[in-house]
Amino acid sequence: MLRPKVPAMPQPTGQTIPPARVVEPTAVIQQAPQHYTPAPAPVPARPTVQLTPGSAVALVGTGAAVVLVVGVVLVSMLLAVAITAASVAVCAVVIRSLAASQHRR
């Protein structure tokens, strides 16, 4: 009832001959050599950035502010991890002390 049906592939009878290809001759036309003229240099689409002393100071100030903010964030995260580790250590000591005193009784 649930048997798969395998399709039967009929074998070709006789010889099979591939279709013949027709090759059309091509003509070669020789032209006189053309002189190469280089293309003109492309014009930039936007002007180049020029830093004035004021914009350079503003750029340095912005970079310093970013570095300071990132440093403050990283230091505060490090302090949070250190405080958490210290409080876990204190809790471990207290629990160990309570377990040892319970064992002595």
Side-chain angles (χ1 to χ4, degrees):
M1 181 174 162
L2 297 175
R3 297 168 79 182
K5 294 182 180 180
V6 178
M9 287 184 62
Q11 296 295 325
T13 57
Q15 291 183 347
T16 58
I17 301 172
R21 292 186 177 182
V22 178
V23 179
E24 296 181 9
T26 57
V28 177
I29 301 172
Q30 292 187 359
Q31 297 178 350
Q34 297 176 352
H35 295 288
Y36 174 73
T37 55
V43 179
R46 53 188 170 148
T48 58
V49 177
Q50 298 197 2
L51 289 176
T52 61
S55 63
V57 169
L59 188 63
V60 169
T62 304
V66 167
V67 168
L68 287 174
V69 168
V70 169
V72 166
V73 169
L74 290 177
V75 167
S76 64
M77 289 172 65
L78 179 64
L79 283 175
V81 169
I83 291 170
T84 304
S87 64
V88 167
V90 168
C91 289
V93 168
V94 169
I95 290 173
R96 184 176 177 187
S97 173
L98 289 174
S101 67
Q102 187 76 12
H103 186 346
R104 289 181 189 161
R105 288 185 186 179

